[in-house]
């Protein structure tokens, strides 16, 4: 039994899918299948039931999963001790990031981090704020980067950046009524929004609450799962959205989108980590690097 076999087993067990687990770990589906098969044959057990194209944990797998996770956590803790003794920043970091951060804010910062710490291997998965929070809580990610609120009290939050939000429509969109100077009537708009659990949608929910209405009172025309899909739909004239300036700055500058006056609070980009897991040197180095990047824009 090897640590690699245990990592593959845990990934497959938590995702219930061999291919998705292999993609997460950066290996081929055949390699993941071979590792599971070897683990089962070495110990004469069946860890998974194969149901058509899907797999599910067998009773033995359910019993084995917490033990496998405990071994991996102890191995990570042992590695951290050696790293702290040697003061060498190596190893791997699994990062879960929300869409805006992963697509527009993070890539350049990870590139500069890699220049400073070339021995650290980085992997990034993308989801909405709720999904990122869940990944950090269950250990699928070492740390998360979000722009929305998190709910769990066992997560640490550290501010690493600031985001400016904009209300935008297509350049051809009719003028929008104002309820006060510089304050657009949000009930008069047809909205295109992100799915539940996203930080961007959360901003619109907060805005509606401040106006004394609910999201149900707005004309929600379309719900889309990505910032890019929303930007393209708004450019096509389908409606209005509130979105990060990082996503639409070029479109506004080029004239395909128009910014509409609306007072919106800035929001923080935050790193989230689990309070009960010891941070590795690589994790601490990334935290410091992102904090420095925030200080310099």
């Amino acid at each position: 039994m090897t640590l690699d076999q245990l990592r593959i087993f845990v990934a497959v067990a938590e995702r219930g899918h061999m291919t998705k687990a292999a993609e997460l770990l950066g290996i081929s589906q055949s390699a993941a299948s071979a590792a599971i098969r070897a683990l089962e044959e070495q110990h004469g057990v069946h860890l998974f039931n194969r149901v058509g194209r899907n797999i599910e944990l067998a009773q033995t797998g359910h019993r084995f999963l917490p033990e496998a996770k405990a071994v991996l956590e102890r191995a990570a803790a042992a590695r951290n001790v050696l790293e702290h003794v040697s003061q060498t920043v190596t190893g791997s970091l699994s990062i879960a990031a929300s869409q805006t951060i992963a697509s527009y804010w993070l890539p350049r910062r990870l590139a500069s981090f890699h220049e400073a710490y070339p021995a650290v291997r980085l992997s990034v998965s993308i989801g909405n704020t709720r999904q990122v929070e869940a990944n950090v809580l269950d250990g699928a990610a070492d740390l998360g980067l979000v722009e929305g609120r998190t709910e769990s009290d066992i997560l640490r939050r550290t501010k690493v950046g600031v985001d400016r939000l904009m209300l935008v429509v297509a350049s051809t969109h009719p003028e929008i009524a104002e309820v006060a100077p510089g304050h657009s009537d949000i009930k008069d708009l047809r909205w295109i929004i992100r799915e539940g659990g996203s930080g961007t949608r959360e901003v619109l929910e907060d805005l509606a609450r401040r106006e004394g209405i609910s999201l149900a009172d707005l004309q929600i025309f379309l719900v889309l799962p990505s910032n890019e899909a929303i930007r393209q739909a708004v450019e096509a004239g389908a409606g209005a959205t509130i979105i990060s300036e990082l996503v639409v700055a070029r479109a506004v500058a080029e004239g395909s989108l128009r910014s509409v006056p609306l007072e919106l609070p800035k929001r923080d980009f935050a790193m989230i980590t689990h309070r009960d897991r010891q941070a590795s040197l690589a994790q601490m180095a990334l935290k410091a690097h992102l904090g420095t990047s925030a200080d310099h824009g």
Side-chain angles (χ1 to χ4, degrees):
M1 184 186 305
T2 67
L3 290 177
D4 282 341
Q5 288 175 330
L6 294 183
R7 288 190 189 94
I8 293 168
F9 165 73
V10 170
V12 174
E14 290 182 337
R15 279 148 191 82
H17 198 283
M18 192 73 70
T19 302
K20 290 180 180 178
E23 289 174 352
L24 175 74
L25 297 171
I27 61 176
S28 66
Q29 187 270 339
S30 59
S33 297
I36 296 298
R37 187 166 55 252
L39 191 58
E40 291 177 324
E41 292 175 353
Q42 286 167 9
H43 300 279
V45 297
H46 288 289
L47 298 171
F48 294 95
N49 294 320
R50 278 71 177 177
V51 183
R53 293 185 177 182
N54 299 320
I55 59 173
E56 58 185 29
L57 273 176
Q59 183 177 1
T60 302
H62 277 291
R63 293 178 59 188
F64 183 54
L65 181 58
E67 300 299 329
K69 293 174 73 172
V71 170
L72 291 175
E73 289 177 2
R74 289 301 303 159
R79 184 180 64 246
N80 289 344
V81 169
L82 293 179
E83 287 180 357
H84 280 80
V85 169
S86 67
Q87 292 297 302
T88 301
V89 182
T90 61
S92 61
L93 277 178
S94 174
I95 304 164
S98 56
Q99 283 192 23
T100 302
I101 292 174
S103 299
Y104 297 94
W105 185 85
L106 188 59
R108 291 184 180 182
R109 288 166 172 82
L110 290 188
S112 60
F113 178 80
H114 178 68
E115 289 181 4
Y117 302 99
V120 178
R121 187 172 67 255
L122 301 168
S123 64
V124 179
S125 61
I126 303 175
N128 62 36
T129 296
R130 291 285 80 78
Q131 292 166 337
V132 171
E133 180 177 14
N135 284 343
V136 175
L137 286 171
D138 68 18
D142 297 313
L143 57 93
L145 293 163
V146 297
E147 71 270 3
R149 289 187 293 268
T150 47
E151 298 176 350
S152 175
D153 59 2
I154 60 174
L155 292 177
R156 291 191 179 93
R157 284 181 66 100
T158 304
K159 177 181 173 181
V160 293
V162 178
D163 188 29
R164 179 171 174 256
L165 294 154
M166 303 175 71
L167 168 58
V168 294
V169 295
S171 57
T172 55
H173 192 283
E175 290 301 316
I176 298 167
E178 293 185 343
V179 294
H183 193 83
S184 300
D185 183 1
I186 64 173
K187 289 191 292 184
D188 191 45
L189 294 169
R190 186 168 63 169
W191 288 95
I192 303 168
I193 65 174
R194 282 281 304 281
E195 79 286 356
S198 75
T200 304
R201 178 172 174 145
E202 189 178 89
V203 172
L204 181 59
E205 292 170 345
D206 290 345
L207 176 62
R209 196 176 300 115
R210 289 200 303 272
E211 297 288 326
I213 59 177
S214 71
L215 207 63
D217 295 318
L218 300 180
Q219 301 176 56
I220 306 297
F221 167 67
L222 192 57
V223 178
L224 291 171
S226 75
N227 292 324
E228 282 302 304
I230 286 179
R231 180 184 60 77
Q232 291 186 38
V234 174
E235 285 183 341
T241 197
I242 290 175
I243 198 165
S244 169
E245 182 180 28
L246 295 172
V247 180
V248 296
R250 177 175 294 180
V252 170
E254 293 174 349
S256 59
L257 290 178
R258 184 174 87 244
S259 176
V260 178
L262 184 65
E263 290 185 9
L264 292 169
K266 292 182 179 180
R267 62 179 179 178
D268 292 343
F269 287 160
M271 175 187 288
I272 57 173
T273 54
H274 199 293
R275 290 184 182 275
D276 297 333
R277 295 193 181 102
Q278 182 182 5
S280 66
L281 282 180
Q283 193 171 318
M284 290 189 289
L286 180 60
K287 180 179 177 179
H289 184 80
L290 294 181
T292 302
S293 297
D295 293 339
H296 293 84

